[in-house]
Amino acid sequence: MNLYPIHAGHFKLDGGAMFGVVPKSIWQKTNPADTNNLIDIASRCLLIEDGNQLILIDSGMGNKQSDKFFGYYNLWGDFSLDKSLKSCGFHRDDITDVFLTHLHFDHCGGSIQRNKNGTGYEPAFKNAHFWSNQDHWQWATQPNRREKASFLKENILPMEECGQLKFTAIPHGDILNNSELGFDILFVDGHTDKQMLPIITYKGKTIVFMADLLPTVGHLPLPYVMGYDTRPLLTLNEKENFLNIAAEKGYYLFLEHDAHNEIITVKNTEKGVRLNTVHTSEEILN
């Protein structure tokens, strides 16, 4: 097995929305904002090469939305999914599976593209299966009014229409062991219903793709929960349970949205679980 970080782009989000009830005077110490109160956000995906499988975890925003849409998110930097794949020696047509932690536009938008005629949509990975789970799929295709703006039909429905959609099983507890994709999956419900976090055993390490359970290093303290989360008190409990295990077992946490910290470990302190070490992908994945 080989793992590769895939940089699908950078954007900015409102710092207040990213930290919920936490005052700016506190969160800006770890996530400094610009004059518009926007903080740096990454779309850092992960590519798993395992035998004949080439599995991409999340796919970023993509590029099919309007200039007006992207104008809300202040795209910056020169990263792109295709350039990042190429730098690792791959093309999007090589991808066999796209595993989507959840179906918010910044995690799945790159999975679907406009067709050549510009009249509709088609898979951006023509040879891949797209993986979700049945409960989250229903949640996303029949969205509540709180999340409706994050679940864009053009990002989601073409996966099913093209016949490339597959569902993982849903465990009775929190963890699905030995999924069809070769890694365990932690299910969490605070951010959105049935978000899935891959737990990957790699070269004697346990690497967890954190998605939106832990967006950045600045979100380590338990009350630091995004305003985007639909069930913030549940996120708080899910984060506490996970971080205690991660500290005890020495997990490496792969941060999808932290523009400046790629992989971290955590430790127990008198103030709770806090940052232990920071690593580059090159240090841990090579």
Side-chain angles (χ1 to χ4, degrees):
M1 177 188 289
N2 295 306
L3 300 182
Y4 309 88
I6 300 296
H7 302 279
H10 286 142
F11 58 104
K12 290 179 179 284
L13 287 175
D14 183 85
M18 283 297 292
F19 284 92
V21 300
V22 180
K24 180 179 180 179
S25 59
I26 297 176
W27 60 251
Q28 69 177 353
K29 295 176 183 177
T30 55
N31 297 71
D34 64 16
T35 55
N36 293 316
N37 209 48
L38 301 176
I39 65 173
D40 293 346
I41 300 292
S43 287
R44 185 180 295 112
C45 309
L46 183 63
L47 188 66
I48 304 173
E49 182 185 23
D50 190 10
N52 294 325
Q53 284 185 299
L54 197 61
I55 305 166
L56 180 65
I57 301 175
D58 282 353
S59 60
M61 286 191 189
N63 57 15
K64 65 181 175 299
Q65 305 300 328
S66 68
D67 290 342
K68 180 180 179 180
F69 177 90
F70 288 122
Y72 295 130
Y73 300 102
N74 292 265
L75 307 186
W76 59 279
D78 60 356
F79 287 117
S80 76
L81 191 148
D82 284 317
K83 286 197 294 186
S84 193
L85 284 173
K86 184 177 180 180
S87 71
C88 297
F90 301 107
H91 185 273
R92 64 174 58 217
D93 292 350
D94 300 326
I95 304 296
T96 62
D97 300 271
V98 179
F99 179 88
L100 299 166
T101 60
H102 59 298
L103 297 170
H104 287 167
F105 68 85
D106 57 318
H107 293 259
C108 75
S111 300
I112 302 297
Q113 63 189 8
R114 291 189 179 274
N115 61 24
K116 292 182 180 179
N117 298 326
T119 57
Y121 302 97
E122 64 184 12
F125 303 93
K126 66 180 184 180
N127 298 315
H129 289 117
F130 298 97
W131 290 85
S132 183
N133 65 76
Q134 196 160 22
D135 286 4
H136 183 67
W137 183 263
Q138 183 173 349
W139 186 269
T141 55
Q142 301 174 37
N144 61 76
R145 284 178 286 182
R146 172 74 180 275
E147 286 183 278
K148 188 174 183 179
S150 295
F151 290 127
L152 306 181
K153 291 182 179 179
E154 61 268 30
N155 285 338
I156 298 171
L157 297 182
M159 298 180 197
E160 183 175 42
E161 293 165 353
C162 73
Q164 294 171 226
L165 177 66
K166 298 190 78 170
F167 292 142
T168 69
I170 298 174
H172 295 296
D174 296 334
I175 295 181
L176 176 65
N177 297 115
N178 302 314
S179 75
E180 295 176 74
L181 292 163
F183 48 77
D184 294 344
I185 303 170
L186 172 64
F187 283 70
V188 288
D189 299 304
H191 177 61
T192 188
D193 201 60
K194 294 294 182 291
Q195 180 183 195
M196 301 188 292
L197 309 185
I199 303 172
I200 304 159
T201 301
Y202 179 70
K203 295 183 178 180
K205 306 179 182 72
T206 298
I207 298 174
V208 185
F209 187 92
M210 294 308 302
D212 281 339
L213 181 63
L214 186 72
T216 74
V217 167
H219 289 85
L220 278 170
L222 295 180
Y224 291 38
V225 174
M226 291 190 291
Y228 300 112
D229 286 22
T230 60
R231 305 175 181 118
L233 293 180
L234 183 54
T235 293
L236 192 151
N237 289 335
E238 290 173 336
K239 191 164 70 167
E240 181 177 25
N241 292 337
F242 173 80
L243 289 177
N244 283 330
I245 295 171
E248 177 186 348
K249 296 189 175 182
Y251 289 172
Y252 289 84
L253 311 184
F254 186 98
L255 302 179
E256 182 170 13
H257 282 320
D258 193 317
H260 307 291
N261 302 283
E262 294 182 88
I263 298 173
I264 64 170
T265 64
V266 294
K267 63 182 178 181
N268 282 303
T269 73
E270 293 180 354
K271 293 183 178 181
V273 176
R274 292 292 187 269
L275 179 66
N276 183 24
T277 60
V278 179
H279 305 273
T280 66
S281 293
E282 186 176 44
E283 291 172 341
I284 301 302
L285 303 185
N286 285 352

